[in-house]
Amino acid sequence: MFAKKMIKTPLLSSLFCLGPYRYLIRTAALGLVLLSLCRIGLVIWLYDRVAQTDLLWQVLLQGVRADIIVVGLLLLLPVLLVPLASVRGLGKLWFNFSYYWCLTALVFLVFMELATPAFLLQYDVRPNRLFVEYLKYPKEVLSTLWFGFRIPVVTGILATLALSWLMRRIFRAGNCSLSRWSIAKTVGLWGLALLLLFAGIRSTTEHRPANPALFAITSDAMVNSLVISSAYSVLYAIYNLKHEARSSSVYGTMPNDQMLHSSLNWPWLKSYQFNNPQYPTAHWQQAVVKREKPLNLVIVLQESLGATFVQSLGGLAVTPELEKLKQQGIWFDQLYATGTRSVRGIEAVVAGFPPTPAQSTVKLSNSQQHFTTLASVLKSVGYHTQFIYGGEAHFDNMRSFFTGNGVEQIVDQSQMKNVAFTGSWGASDEDVFNAAHQQLTVLHQQKKPFFSLIFTSSNHEPFEFPDGRIELHEEPKNRVNNAVKYADWAMGQFFNKAKQSAYWQDTLFLIVADHDNRVYGDNLIPVEKFHIPGLILGADTKPEQLTTLASQIDLAPTLLSMMGISSCHTMTGRDFMLDKTSPGRALLQFDNYFALVQQKPEAQDLVILKPDGHSVAGHYQPQNQQLTLSDQAVSPSAQQQALALVQLPSYLYREQKNSSEATCL
């Protein structure tokens, strides 16, 4: 059926056909050539943007790497089924299946690349999540395409048909018989094929496999999108859609107007004006602290440093350096994380964004650019913004999220020289802090205002750190309490140097955990495992202890106010410089449960929303870490208040209302 006598020499015919792999190998070769040619065409078309990054060759070479991943993914199923080709009675069925599967895969690649220019013109990136979402509205989309992009649509369809016909001819080329290989030959080469496919899809021998964030090599989102193919971009968006649950459908529903009114009805938001209907949380935050020259900002985001490890918060005595530093700044005595993952901590601390039952916005496709963060706010007023991390910055999609939302410079493991110790998660904390100190010194010498996010990783399983730095808290060495003590030591060394540096007097520092190390417990929500340390120090900060209940989302507005930065943004956290007396609240997302915690004189009241639409009330006593659930039903007003707070971020994300381009009317 598929044989066509074009190659007569038996040896050449054998090499050209390659048995059950004939269509798979041709697909791989044609796909890689096609995607590279299309990328080169796009680079030529958009050369001015690409040239500004000075990364032309990286765009092209890393693009080939990304293409191998997507071609490998498209071939995964047929390669897994190759042994069927050697089974009697299934050989012909196998060849038909692999032929049509591979041809469909190539047509998909062609179609997506031909759809790219028009999408780029409209959205300045390759087809992505928005491309997929528009498929829900075929009538409107087809109408828009026909009346607004008729020539590109017709040209694209004709080109797709022409290229599909050409590839079909290439597929049918060669004097290839349908004879079966022996089972031994098929299975023997099948193992090699699987190994090559695994290596191509994983694309790295490092600790974590490659993902689209690995290819975010510039601060220009459009150029980053050129590196990966449109097919890869769309497939990844489809994969991510399953994580983008609507919070209202998980816990209940309420009208948007009511949700917005309830979400913004807190004492510390009363003085702000929310007048832009397009961006309902956008407001002008006037800095409480007046400065002739705004301060720099450094955030030290400590991996897994919960209150469990801070003696003054009721934990173990394994953070002596932090205990010393707390005497020199503003100490948050009742600060709570929003979740249990690093990306959730990043989302809350850096973007001031509340939690939802969906994945963190750090990993979701609709927040990879134009999403409000401290970096986007500070970059807009002339700050140099950077992210410093000892591991691979593409982990958990961090590189993509940061570069698309205001971070200009990424310093990760690959750029750190003379590393003292490398563990499973990358360079040790002392190496990270040494790199940070060098960076901050240079930036200060250049008289550039800067924002630097330093993310540590030594306090992470398998708890690896260099010998001879600390007196171990316990044996054996690779235990969490020892890792915490080492991380605390490394941070202490950094602050000893920072206090002696020229940049200290011009810089505000925040030390905060992303989450606790393990969030567990018998309670519906283990509230005590969300309790984390937080400390603001540096510059002219006076020692103070805040006992008010606070959330990670309150940190960004407070920092902006202390830095002397007045700005328009969409963050709804609390500025503690503006209001220190109102009872506080915290927002906790634990698995499928969401809790609104509110401060009361003797205990903290909780409203816990469950995914079946029901809710339960609770009382938490921080002194003995005891959560007591109530038999009484939650009042409708309390449930609506909690529901509003969990529905707000879902709404802002889904409708793209948390934009860094929001304006204040």
Side-chain angles (χ1 to χ4, degrees):
M1 174 180 176
F2 303 116
K4 198 166 181 75
K5 296 182 179 180
M6 296 180 63
I7 300 179
K8 303 296 185 181
T9 306
L11 177 60
L12 291 177
S13 180
S14 177
L15 291 174
F16 192 75
C17 297
L18 294 168
Y21 295 96
R22 68 187 66 169
Y23 302 126
L24 304 181
I25 292 177
R26 295 180 192 187
T27 298
L30 286 171
L32 293 175
V33 171
L34 167 72
L35 294 176
S36 288
L37 289 176
C38 290
R39 181 176 294 103
I40 291 171
L42 291 173
V43 166
I44 294 173
W45 176 40
L46 301 165
Y47 182 76
D48 289 342
R49 291 274 293 276
V50 177
Q52 289 177 10
T53 67
D54 200 29
L55 294 172
L56 171 62
W57 289 109
Q58 284 198 47
V59 170
L60 297 177
L61 294 176
Q62 290 293 332
V64 174
R65 183 180 176 187
D67 295 342
I68 292 173
I69 295 174
V70 73
V71 169
L73 289 171
L74 292 173
L75 293 179
L76 181 59
L77 179 60
V79 170
L80 288 173
L81 298 178
V82 159
L84 296 178
S86 63
V87 178
R88 186 180 301 277
L90 295 180
K92 186 175 181 180
L93 179 63
W94 157 256
F95 284 108
N96 281 321
F97 165 77
S98 65
Y99 172 81
Y100 287 112
W101 178 279
C102 291
L103 185 60
T104 301
L106 284 174
V107 171
F108 171 65
L109 293 178
V110 169
F111 173 78
M112 291 309 309
E113 291 302 311
L114 291 175
T116 298
F119 198 91
L120 269 166
L121 284 172
Q122 189 72 12
Y123 298 104
D124 203 40
V125 290
R126 280 186 184 269
N128 55 12
R129 177 186 186 275
L130 195 57
F131 184 92
V132 179
E133 287 192 335
Y134 277 161
L135 298 179
K136 302 175 185 177
Y137 312 103
K139 180 180 178 181
E140 292 80 0
V141 170
L142 290 175
S143 176
T144 300
L145 291 175
W146 184 249
F147 291 105
F149 303 91
R150 187 174 304 177
I151 293 178
V153 167
V154 173
T155 303
I157 292 174
L158 293 176
T160 300
L161 293 174
L163 287 172
S164 300
W165 175 84
L166 176 62
M167 287 184 296
R168 182 175 180 272
R169 294 282 296 179
I170 296 174
F171 259 38
R172 293 166 62 96
N175 185 19
C176 302
S177 69
L178 299 178
S179 60
R180 293 182 294 111
W181 280 2
S182 67
I183 293 178
K185 183 178 181 180
T186 301
V187 174
L189 289 178
W190 182 57
L192 177 61
L194 285 176
L195 180 62
L196 292 174
L197 193 67
F198 173 81
I201 293 174
R202 200 176 193 283
S203 190
T204 178
T205 58
E206 299 296 336
H207 189 71
R208 290 164 287 277
N211 59 38
L214 177 67
F215 305 106
I217 59 178
T218 81
S219 58
D220 187 328
M222 189 280 293
V223 176
N224 287 336
S225 77
L226 295 185
V227 180
I228 64 175
S229 65
S230 295
Y232 194 10
S233 177
V234 167
L235 289 174
Y236 196 73
I238 293 172
Y239 167 78
N240 269 331
L241 282 175
K242 66 187 178 71
H243 299 300
E244 301 183 19
R246 291 173 178 248
S247 297
S248 56
S249 66
V250 174
Y251 300 121
T253 60
M254 63 189 306
N256 287 338
D257 289 346
Q258 182 182 348
M259 175 270 296
L260 288 168
H261 174 76
S262 181
S263 298
L264 302 177
N265 188 30
W266 292 90
W268 48 86
L269 299 177
K270 295 288 189 181
S271 61
Y272 299 137
Q273 300 297 316
F274 300 94
N275 295 327
N276 189 339
Q278 184 177 0
Y279 300 104
T281 63
H283 61 281
W284 180 264
Q285 181 192 355
Q286 185 67 40
V288 173
V289 182
K290 309 298 181 183
R291 298 185 184 276
E292 294 183 8
K293 179 184 176 183
L295 297 176
N296 306 312
L297 176 62
V298 174
I299 295 179
V300 177
L301 190 63
Q302 286 279 15
E303 171 69 45
S304 304
L305 185 66
T308 306
F309 308 106
V310 183
Q311 186 175 29
S312 60
L313 296 179
L316 295 175
V318 289
T319 53
E321 298 298 326
L322 180 61
E323 297 284 8
K324 295 175 188 175
L325 290 170
K326 65 173 283 191
Q327 309 299 328
Q328 304 168 29
I330 299 175
W331 175 255
F332 289 83
D333 195 60
Q334 290 294 323
L335 177 65
Y336 285 80
T338 61
T340 61
R341 290 288 313 278
S342 294
V343 285
R344 190 68 80 190
I346 290 171
E347 168 189 77
V349 173
V350 181
F353 199 72
T356 73
Q359 270 197 340
S360 164
T361 50
V362 173
K363 303 185 73 170
L364 297 180
S365 57
N366 212 28
S367 49
Q368 298 308 298
Q369 55 180 326
H370 309 310
F371 195 79
T372 297
T373 66
L374 276 171
S376 67
V377 172
L378 295 174
K379 182 181 178 181
S380 69
V381 292
Y383 277 63
H384 177 81
T385 54
Q386 64 177 191
F387 171 53
I388 303 176
Y389 178 54
E392 302 157 27
H394 72 277
F395 175 66
D396 262 348
N397 209 55
M398 292 186 295
R399 178 186 290 272
S400 178
F401 178 79
F402 286 136
T403 56
N405 295 308
V407 174
E408 300 171 291
Q409 180 189 12
I410 302 288
V411 180
D412 66 1
Q413 181 181 5
S414 63
Q415 300 171 54
M416 293 184 183
K417 308 300 181 183
N418 303 316
V419 172
F421 182 86
T422 301
S424 300
W425 288 88
S428 68
D429 282 5
E430 64 187 85
D431 294 302
V432 172
F433 283 123
N434 286 337
H437 179 66
Q438 294 169 7
Q439 290 285 328
L440 302 183
T441 299
V442 170
L443 289 172
H444 188 266
Q445 289 172 348
Q446 295 173 348
K447 301 187 183 304
K448 292 182 179 179
F450 56 80
F451 162 54
S452 181
L453 172 64
I454 305 169
F455 188 20
T456 70
S457 61
S458 290
N459 181 29
H460 198 296
E461 290 181 305
F463 306 121
E464 300 165 302
F465 57 92
D467 294 325
R469 303 304 196 266
I470 60 169
E471 181 180 343
L472 298 182
H473 180 78
E474 60 190 357
E475 295 287 351
K477 174 190 172 186
N478 298 115
R479 299 286 294 272
V480 61
N481 293 328
N482 294 326
V484 171
K485 191 172 182 180
Y486 165 74
D488 178 72
W489 172 87
M491 182 186 68
Q493 296 297 304
F494 167 71
F495 275 99
N496 287 338
K497 288 188 289 188
K499 285 186 283 189
Q500 303 301 318
S501 70
Y503 60 76
W504 175 262
Q505 291 301 323
D506 300 321
T507 305
L508 195 67
F509 294 83
L510 167 68
I511 303 170
V512 66
D514 55 356
H515 55 83
D516 207 330
N517 71 316
R518 288 182 60 208
V519 180
Y520 56 89
D522 298 330
N523 292 323
L524 194 61
I525 289 187
V527 181
E528 70 280 2
K529 301 301 290 184
F530 284 79
H531 191 194
I532 58 173
L535 172 66
I536 299 175
L537 72 166
D540 56 357
T541 306
K542 299 294 189 295
E544 182 179 358
Q545 183 171 346
L546 285 178
T547 58
T548 306
L549 181 64
S551 170
Q552 281 176 321
I553 69 169
D554 300 328
L555 297 172
T558 300
L559 291 169
L560 289 172
S561 190
M562 293 183 67
M563 293 167 67
I565 299 289
S566 299
S567 62
C568 174
H569 60 72
T570 57
M571 295 182 283
T572 57
R574 175 178 185 171
D575 175 5
F576 272 96
M577 297 298 100
L578 180 66
D579 181 357
K580 296 182 181 180
T581 59
S582 298
R585 58 86 189 92
L587 314 175
L588 316 182
Q589 185 70 48
F590 179 66
D591 195 22
N592 291 324
Y593 299 99
F594 173 84
L596 167 61
V597 187
Q598 297 192 69
Q599 189 172 21
K600 300 298 179 182
E602 297 181 358
Q604 297 170 0
D605 283 355
L606 279 77
V607 175
I608 302 173
L609 301 181
K610 302 168 69 175
D612 58 3
H614 294 87
S615 59
V616 60
H619 303 280
Y620 178 71
Q621 295 180 333
Q623 295 79 8
N624 57 15
Q625 300 182 349
Q626 183 67 42
L627 174 64
T628 304
L629 299 182
S630 174
D631 294 331
Q632 297 182 351
V634 177
S635 68
S637 61
Q639 182 168 353
Q640 290 296 301
Q641 188 179 38
L643 180 59
L645 287 173
V646 74
Q647 185 171 310
L648 174 68
S650 179
Y651 164 80
L652 294 175
Y653 168 79
R654 188 177 64 248
E655 303 296 331
Q656 300 184 53
K657 303 293 188 183
N658 196 59
S659 174
S660 58
E661 299 178 344
T663 56
C664 297
L665 303 181

